[in-house]
Amino acid sequence: MRKLALSDDILLKIEKPARYIGGEVNAVMKDKGKVDIRFAMCFPDVYEIGMSHLGIQILYDMFNRREDVWCERVYSPWLDLDEVMRKEHIPLFALESQDPIREFDFLGITIQYEMCYTNILQILDLSGIPLHSKDRTEQDPIVIGGGPCTYNPEPLAEFFDLFYIGEGETVYDQLLDLYKENQRNGGTRAQFLEKAAKIEGIYVPSFYTVDYNEDGTIASFRPANPCAPEVIHKQVVMDLGETTYPEKPVVPFIKVTQDRVVLEIMRGCIRGCRFCQAGMLYRPTRERDLKTLKEYAYQMLKNTGHEEISLSSLSSSDYTELKELVLFLIREFKGKGINISLPSLRIDAFSLDVMGQVQDIRKSSLTFAPEAGSQRMRNVINKGLTEEVILDGAAQAFAGGWNKVKLYFMLGLPTETEEDMRAIPELADKIARRYYEIPKEERNGKCQITTSTSFFIPKPFTPFQWARMYTNEEYVAKAAVVKHGFQEQLNRKSLKYHWHDAEVTVLEGVFARGDRRVGKVLEEAYRLGCLYDSWSDFFDNDKWMEAFERCGLDLGFYNLRERSTEEILPWDFIDIGVSKAFLKREWERALRGEVTPNCRMQCSGCGVAKWKGGVCVEGKN
């Protein structure tokens, strides 16, 4: 029987002890004496968030299918336990074995969001692992990062031994086999890192040198070790049918954010929205086989006891067999007490029909994401939605019985004018008018249009990676313009408006496009007490501003200037398949307000066709 790392006294004093005891249904237990590699898989946020992450479930399942590897899980301790662990000198431990993380061979951290960066330092600190890779010894785990934020790993460069760039199903087995071989031959930590650097997709940040110009921009970025390649190529699984999928995902004891079976139906996106990092990173589009998805649905529901199943992808409406899959799920499971959760779909006759079958129309709301209020702005971001399509979709929804609509927009987009901002409440009002065009006796209650705006953040590997951002005060002023516009609308009683926090946006922008120098700000902020920065209750902007001041770094350098397309960007050494030439063309088209057709309508020569053996219509990029 396992001995828990926390005593009964501690468990009784903290919130939700089930976050830390392990032993959940489908958790994998092994004899640690019979495995060669122990891998701690970490999500640097609270248990309820981390347990909802599909990527970790996939890797946990894939690693544990190997007899020589035991993969366990670890999450960020909540603030109450964090305080106890520091006071009582309790090392951070894995859920399955309850063993200290420092005893493992690997600590793998998935990096999903920039505002979780201080939690990464918390994980290392509580584990007793030196924060800086250069200070680690042969007794410390190899710290490896993966996930979308690793496409600009530079702000975290000092804290990681390795980064895995791309999809985990490709070269992880090769990396683990290499580690075993190195251990068997008595190799050192440094020798393993040199060998790992030769595996495509593996980036060892300590093997590279950065020089800066007098104006603070990067002068050069180059390998300082002969084992390190000049370019790191993203790893891509071209045939999803050849990959494993977790048919027995771990079932938590407590309610988590995504408490359901998740079917990943496809990867990639054909749409080409210029603000969307995921749409560029995960190209090309690859679909899962319909027959296989049906089998996964049966097995996962049977093995978990979950009462809900949902679909996962960037643009589910573009899955070619969506209709067949959704109708199958409704036919097979709806009558068995299984709730079917549909992702955001294009609002058309089919979508409204199936949503009407799986939702209580009186309780649910429909979601539209126009992203911009004016047609000019939607053309700039290549959203591909006209006002007519939006209004017709809303009209169909209202006629079908819905009366609640959620609208999502961004403020601070490139070339945005006050007219574009004011178009947001005007569009919301036009949607409300469509509802009131329905005869009163046919309406389903009161109309409610809830509009939310977030502030645009330029992300690496998008056509907007060169764009400027704004100050906190400028963002708040933009939200004020929109708020005032709502107060002027005819149907203002049916309209609600919310906006996201601007201070968090400014920081996220720094770390999204930052270089190695911002790592010291991150460390200083952590020392000042910053933690759980993605949670509004705990975010402390004053401490962050103090950290920037102490480190002598200027926020404006990272956010307030528009970059030259000739500037060396911190992430330029990574090849995601989408070429920089394509991104430049899209940036120029955006500034001209020109729309680029989606990938099924016309190939635009982004560069990823090389993975399918094709040739871009515009030649090599």
Side-chain angles (χ1 to χ4, degrees):
M1 187 172 180
R2 292 180 314 147
K3 182 180 179 181
L4 296 179
L6 302 177
S7 68
D8 290 347
D9 285 347
I10 293 174
L11 289 170
L12 289 171
K13 290 177 183 176
I14 59 175
E15 182 184 345
K16 299 183 182 179
R19 290 169 170 161
Y20 312 108
I21 60 176
E24 308 100 321
V25 173
N26 296 331
V28 176
M29 299 299 297
K30 295 188 179 184
D31 182 344
K32 61 185 179 184
K34 294 182 179 179
V35 296
D36 299 311
I37 297 174
R38 299 190 68 189
F39 197 113
M41 185 69 70
C42 172
F43 193 98
D45 207 324
V46 73
Y47 176 89
E48 292 93 316
I49 303 293
M51 278 292 289
S52 303
H53 184 248
L54 179 60
I56 280 190
Q57 290 185 30
I58 289 173
L59 292 178
Y60 181 82
D61 176 79
M62 185 180 88
F63 288 0
N64 280 320
R65 293 191 187 205
R66 291 182 54 140
E67 292 184 0
D68 57 349
V69 175
W70 186 11
C71 181
E72 304 181 49
R73 293 163 296 132
V74 60
Y75 306 101
S76 283
W78 194 240
L79 296 173
D80 53 356
L81 182 58
D82 177 280
E83 183 180 351
V84 172
M85 294 178 77
R86 293 177 193 275
K87 184 178 178 181
E88 303 291 336
H89 303 289
I90 300 170
L92 188 61
F93 52 90
L95 267 62
E96 280 77 1
S97 66
Q98 301 279 299
D99 288 342
I101 297 302
R102 198 174 181 210
E103 296 179 2
F104 283 66
D105 298 290
F106 284 89
L107 171 59
I109 303 176
T110 185
I111 316 169
Q112 293 291 311
Y113 179 40
E114 290 84 357
M115 299 315 294
C116 286
Y117 284 5
T118 52
N119 282 57
I120 293 173
L121 300 190
Q122 176 210 32
I123 294 288
L124 295 171
D125 197 9
L126 290 178
S127 298
I129 300 170
L131 296 188
H132 295 261
S133 60
K134 63 182 175 59
D135 297 328
R136 293 177 194 144
T137 70
E138 301 297 330
Q139 281 67 52
D140 291 304
I142 299 293
V143 181
I144 182 168
C149 289
T150 61
Y151 288 94
N152 178 22
E154 291 306 278
L156 296 170
E158 290 187 33
F159 310 116
F160 281 80
D161 300 307
L162 305 171
F163 288 100
Y164 184 114
I165 310 297
E167 296 172 343
E169 297 98 332
T170 52
V171 298
Y172 248 126
D173 281 330
Q174 186 180 348
L175 182 69
L176 295 175
D177 288 342
L178 179 67
Y179 181 80
K180 277 178 60 176
E181 179 187 350
N182 190 66
Q183 291 292 98
R184 192 165 50 243
N185 295 335
T188 65
R189 182 188 193 90
Q191 287 171 329
F192 169 70
L193 292 177
E194 288 193 336
K195 293 171 184 174
K198 297 178 182 178
I199 298 177
E200 199 164 89
I202 299 297
Y203 168 51
V204 182
S206 61
F207 289 174
Y208 294 79
T209 298
V210 190
D211 295 313
Y212 300 93
N213 295 310
E214 286 188 12
D215 64 359
T217 58
I218 295 175
S220 66
F221 182 97
R222 61 188 186 279
N225 185 302
C227 297
E230 289 190 7
V231 178
I232 308 294
H233 299 281
K234 173 185 81 172
Q235 295 303 289
V236 180
V237 177
M238 284 312 303
D239 185 356
L240 295 181
E242 295 180 354
T243 63
T244 61
Y245 199 75
E247 296 180 33
K248 293 183 177 181
V250 181
V251 182
F253 287 133
I254 58 176
K255 185 171 179 59
V256 298
T257 309
Q258 303 273 343
D259 211 357
R260 58 180 74 115
V261 162
V262 179
L263 280 180
E264 183 192 42
I265 60 176
M266 62 187 285
R267 294 183 187 174
C269 182
I270 66 170
R271 294 288 148 186
C273 297
R274 292 174 179 134
F275 59 84
C276 181
Q277 186 185 44
M280 297 295 165
L281 292 183
Y282 301 133
R283 291 185 177 203
T285 304
R286 294 144 290 152
E287 298 188 350
R288 290 195 185 273
D289 175 67
L290 177 62
K291 181 182 177 183
T292 304
L293 288 172
K294 290 179 179 180
E295 292 172 359
Y296 286 158
Y298 277 120
Q299 291 300 318
M300 294 174 79
L301 286 168
K302 183 181 78 171
N303 292 329
T304 61
H306 280 308
E307 296 176 342
E308 185 169 341
I309 187 167
S310 69
L311 308 182
S312 171
S313 73
L314 291 176
S315 179
S316 297
S317 291
D318 294 317
Y319 178 62
T320 52
E321 297 185 279
L322 179 68
K323 182 175 182 179
E324 291 81 355
L325 177 60
V326 170
L327 294 179
F328 163 79
L329 294 175
I330 293 172
R331 183 177 66 250
E332 292 294 317
F333 301 116
K334 191 168 184 290
K336 299 175 182 176
I338 304 296
N339 183 43
I340 298 160
S341 174
L342 297 176
S344 296
L345 301 173
R346 284 198 298 276
I347 306 302
D348 53 26
F350 163 70
S351 298
L352 292 169
D353 176 51
V354 297
M355 282 187 275
Q357 293 184 57
V358 301
Q359 292 181 359
D360 181 345
I361 293 173
R362 291 185 178 274
K363 294 180 181 177
S364 63
S365 61
L366 288 178
T367 299
F368 291 85
E371 310 294 0
S374 68
Q375 191 59 54
R376 186 197 77 82
M377 200 75 250
R378 286 193 293 275
N379 290 349
V380 168
I381 65 177
N382 208 45
K383 181 62 182 175
L385 271 182
T386 64
E387 184 172 292
E388 182 182 5
V389 168
I390 295 168
L391 295 178
D392 285 349
Q396 289 184 60
F398 294 145
W402 277 270
N403 65 334
K404 299 174 185 174
V405 172
K406 293 179 181 177
L407 300 172
Y408 291 100
F409 297 90
M410 284 184 287
L411 287 172
L413 287 160
T415 78
E416 181 183 70
T417 65
E418 184 169 328
E419 185 179 351
D420 296 316
M421 298 177 223
R422 296 182 67 85
I424 292 174
E426 290 168 4
L427 180 58
D429 186 67
K430 288 176 183 177
I431 291 172
R433 287 186 204 178
R434 287 296 177 102
Y435 182 78
Y436 291 113
E437 289 173 3
I438 299 173
K440 195 169 185 178
E441 63 275 10
E442 296 178 17
R443 296 174 195 164
N444 182 19
K446 184 183 177 183
C447 175
Q448 182 180 308
I449 311 295
T450 302
T451 301
S452 297
T453 57
S454 60
F455 297 110
F456 164 69
I457 300 170
K459 292 292 180 94
F461 296 109
T462 67
F464 289 164
Q465 65 182 359
W466 294 283
R468 67 159 292 188
M469 286 184 67
Y470 297 90
T471 64
N472 175 51
E473 293 74 20
E474 288 172 313
Y475 280 127
V476 172
K478 289 174 180 290
V481 170
V482 177
K483 182 179 180 181
H484 182 71
F486 273 100
Q487 294 168 346
E488 295 178 331
Q489 299 309 312
L490 180 67
N491 297 294
R492 58 184 174 273
K493 290 184 179 180
S494 299
L495 307 177
K496 291 183 179 180
Y497 175 52
H498 308 288
W499 65 91
H500 290 198
D501 184 41
E503 291 176 337
V504 173
T505 298
V506 171
L507 270 180
E508 187 181 339
V510 171
F511 287 107
R513 295 189 296 174
D515 51 42
R516 293 191 175 193
R517 293 171 294 188
V518 301
K520 62 183 179 181
V521 177
L522 170 63
E523 189 172 351
E524 185 63 28
Y526 174 69
R527 299 295 185 203
L528 288 170
C530 291
L531 195 62
Y532 281 102
D533 299 295
S534 61
W535 295 68
S536 57
D537 292 349
F538 307 118
F539 176 71
D540 190 331
N541 193 59
D542 290 341
K543 288 180 180 176
W544 276 102
M545 294 304 101
E546 183 180 345
F548 273 96
E549 189 174 341
R550 287 188 181 187
C551 295
L553 252 64
D554 178 21
L555 271 167
F557 173 79
Y558 293 99
N559 279 359
L560 299 182
R561 64 188 183 89
E562 182 176 302
R563 278 105 167 121
S564 161
T565 54
E566 303 308 311
E567 180 179 329
I568 297 175
L569 302 173
W571 52 90
D572 274 349
F573 68 95
I574 297 174
D575 170 25
I576 69 161
V578 174
S579 71
K580 197 170 185 180
F582 169 76
L583 296 176
K584 285 181 182 178
R585 291 200 302 272
E586 283 297 286
W587 173 232
E588 291 162 359
R589 289 174 69 85
L591 297 178
R592 296 194 298 267
E594 295 177 6
V595 174
T596 298
N598 73 58
C599 298
R600 285 191 183 143
M601 294 174 64
Q602 176 186 316
C603 175
S604 297
C606 75
V608 299
K610 64 184 180 184
W611 277 309
K612 292 188 176 181
V615 178
C616 294
V617 295
E618 296 182 29
K620 294 182 179 180
N621 289 282

